[in-house]
Amino acid sequence: MKPLLIGLGCLLMVRTIAQTPTASPLTVEKIMQDPKGWIGTSPSGIFWSEDSKTIYFNWNPTKAKGDSLYKIPLTGDRKPVKVAAAERQNLPPATGGTYNRARTLKLYEKDGDLFLLDCKPGKTGGQTVRQLTNTVERESNPAFSGDERKVVFARANNLFTISLATGEWTQVTNLDPGTKKPDPKTNEQETWLKRDQLALFDVLKERKAKKDEGEKITKAGQPKRPKQFYTEGKTVQNQRLSPDGRFVTFSLLKSAQGAKTAIVPSYVTESGFTEDLTARTKVGAPFASSEFYVYDIQRDTIQAVSTKSIPGITDAPDYAKTAPSPASVPDSNRRGPSAAEVITDTVKKTKKLADRSVTISGPIWSEDGKYAVVIIRAFDNKDRWIMRLDPATRQLKLLDRQRDEAWVSGFGPLTGMTGFLADNQTFYFPSETDGYSHLYTVNVETGEKKQLTKGKFEVQQIQLSNDKKFFYLTTNELHPGEQHFYRMAVDGGERVKLTTMTGANDVTLSPDETQLAIRYSYSNKPWELFLMKNELVTLNKGKQKPSPASTPVQLTASLTPEFQTYPWRDPAIVTIPARDGQTIYGRLYKPAKPNGKAVVFVHGAGYLQNAHKWWSQYFREYMFHNLLADKGYTVLDIDYRASAGYGRDWRTGIYRHMGGKDLTDNVDAAQWLVKTQGVDAKRIGLYGGSYGGFITLMAMFTTPDVFAAGAALRPVTDWAAYNHGYTANILNEPYADTLAYRRSSPIYFANGLKGHLLICHGMVDVNVHYQDVVRLTQRLIELRKENWEVASYPVEDHAFVEPTSWMDEYKRILKLFEERL
């Protein structure tokens, strides 16, 4: 998992301390201004030239309205140079593309056309590009055929090939989006009359025989065309041709029927009229269905792959098997039938169900074309199967099943996280089987599995070397708050740590694998670009380590002189005991002159990490915490239950109860501040956005004696109003697991508010809709609560953009804490 890319720093080369002006006090106006001018813009979007001699990246040292593309040639003085428009137009895309087996050719799509890049230097030293298509309609997903003589690609609903030798196009599939018209049927009378006519009249019989023979000759003389198949309006996805050219696999997606989409009104518009923005459906809405097909070109058949043989395809989730006691749910928080009635009804419904809905991704073929592997996920996300597919029989054979009664961690099946090793039998993949995301292999012939990495850490990124002898891995094994790049043999064993700088090392390996381009940052240092050789030396007993020549060299200096005048804090990474014996990691900002006040920051997204040793995506909040510490506040930012980076049990700790362990972790952290940091228990506030706003509401409503004031920014107030993809994983579906939604939604606990509450929300938020706050506002009015206020931002979506909006919001937060703590 790569660190999130943050628009920060890049301007002039770092000045010496003697040249740096004296720091001025931090203010909300200063830290919330446009970061391009105040901080700068860090390098992002790193990619290499195919000859491994040039690094390209997005950068903005001139404070332009948009980022510009820069390059650093590795020859010469290695200074960043802005890429000219003509060169930029001719460059391959930064990501994507497919190599041939020798990695001498690369296919890619650009602007809807296909190109073939010869990776070997030409006579003039450059590389040659051949444009394969130039059409109005888009061609996409190019790949080499099994014999590498053709390019296979998708166009509209169908699959085509282009001969690299002749340029000839061949249509491989004929998938018609329409509906097949039924053949006209005749009744018994008509059938009898026709048969009788032919029996009576020789001339009719002879003419029919002549006509039939002519049609037979005409048909025999026609060129062979792909079988016509009507998709009946379903969307064709993921068409793939087998290496031997015999099979095409594809999926058909049927859109959800009757799913209502929410509308978000926009009031401040160019037209002067209120305009409606299309947003999304809500959790539990009908969802699309998917079917997986195999087209056997040799037999001229198209048939669906049955899911009935998938082990556990009818398994019901555990939560639906046992009904909770009605007493476990307070009457005041009920909506609809009792919890026991809901769960009992769910069990009845579950027993009637047959196969669960699934999506099938792939197949991923071995290089010799002998084996095909598909990755199957249940729509309820309780199961992920890796299965071998025999396309001739459409039979599936289980290789690995990961079952999680909460939800299975997701990974992309075709993004380098899975694939075949050089023996064409060993398939590698990540799994949380032992509680942490680790790398495994399975032999698709014998079924033998092997775990290659093990320990209380996560393998977050996997890349197989060009020669298929090594894995390059990004893990957090050194510390949960650090990310480093390793090399490991494909059969496991010693992992050699290649990166050396403390923090996050986001590595882009050069195509020839001799160089590492590293986006690196530390807690108080925004992202910069470094270069390092991928060179190892062998020590005693065969152990390896980076050679002395493998020292990271900084290539960019991206911070403004003004930003560097302030001594930005390096927050201490602390560990806090939770009430259930688990360890909570946090970032602690300690003031020089404590005033007894404390603020707890709650990060958003739920499954996200922020108590780490690299530059936070919450950079504005980081600067605000420095401002608070300057004023004497102690500030704590924890990775509560469900945060990323700590394994399966931590990730799923909120299953069926958001506002449970994630909230008690924040309460335990507040109590730790009192016990260890000299904080006044009656002068603690908290704030956060999105999921952090939700936790703030739950804290203010259900633990009102812990936090005296809270600022909930763009908060979810009722999980039944949020989206399906995120919410259903954690709380299942509202009509099937009413208990989970009832105890997880702040709007049902609003009567518990005692402290002072600030709510801030963008009015054109298409993620967490402004309707959430409007509904909570009405609830607070009806409850006659008085110690709360709402600030609305008419032109802001979920993530604020305008500096004036950021300033207004954080002035209100600061005022809340200054007045109420």
Side-chain angles (χ1 to χ4, degrees), residues 456-458 460 474-484 486 497 502-504 522-523 571-575 583-587 609-614 639 644-646:
K456 292 185 177 182
F457 64 91
E458 293 187 338
Q460 299 172 331
T474 297
T475 82
N476 66 348
E477 60 192 86
L478 193 65
H479 184 279
E482 292 188 42
Q483 292 178 333
H484 285 283
Y486 295 78
K497 186 166 76 72
T502 300
Y522 185 64
S523 301
I573 302 296
V574 297
T575 54
T583 299
I584 307 166
Y585 282 82
R587 270 184 166 193
Q609 187 178 9
N610 203 48
H612 49 59
K613 299 181 182 179
W614 62 84
D639 280 338
Y646 303 95

Side-chain angles (χ1 to χ4, degrees), residues 192-239:
W192 182 87
L193 284 173
K194 183 175 182 179
R195 187 169 56 246
D196 189 57
Q197 287 291 93
L198 292 174
L200 282 172
F201 302 106
D202 291 340
V203 65
L204 294 180
K205 187 187 303 181
E206 291 173 3
R207 288 178 180 179
K208 183 179 187 305
K210 186 176 181 181
K211 177 184 175 184
D212 291 346
E213 182 65 21
E215 289 179 349
K216 183 177 179 181
I217 294 172
T218 300
K219 186 176 181 180
Q222 290 179 342
K224 184 174 177 58
R225 300 297 186 194
K227 182 181 182 66
Q228 187 173 26
F229 182 80
Y230 293 93
T231 66
E232 298 180 338
K234 299 173 185 175
T235 303
V236 182
Q237 294 182 328
N238 199 27
Q239 295 188 68

Side-chain angles (χ1 to χ4, degrees), residues 76-123:
D77 57 11
R78 295 183 177 178
K79 288 185 178 180
V81 179
K82 188 172 182 179
V83 177
E87 181 182 354
R88 183 170 187 165
Q89 181 65 30
N90 292 325
L91 284 173
T95 58
T98 305
Y99 292 95
N100 64 349
R101 285 187 281 272
R103 297 184 71 86
T104 56
L105 298 172
K106 182 180 181 180
L107 287 167
Y108 62 88
E109 173 203 345
K110 188 173 183 180
D111 300 326
D113 289 314
L114 305 184
F115 296 82
L116 179 67
L117 173 68
D118 189 338
C119 299
K120 303 183 299 296
K123 294 180 180 179

Side-chain angles (χ1 to χ4, degrees), residues 130-143:
R130 173 183 169 190
Q131 185 164 355
L132 300 177
T133 67
N134 187 0
T135 65
V136 174
E137 196 162 6
R138 180 190 173 204
E139 290 83 37
S140 62
N141 302 322

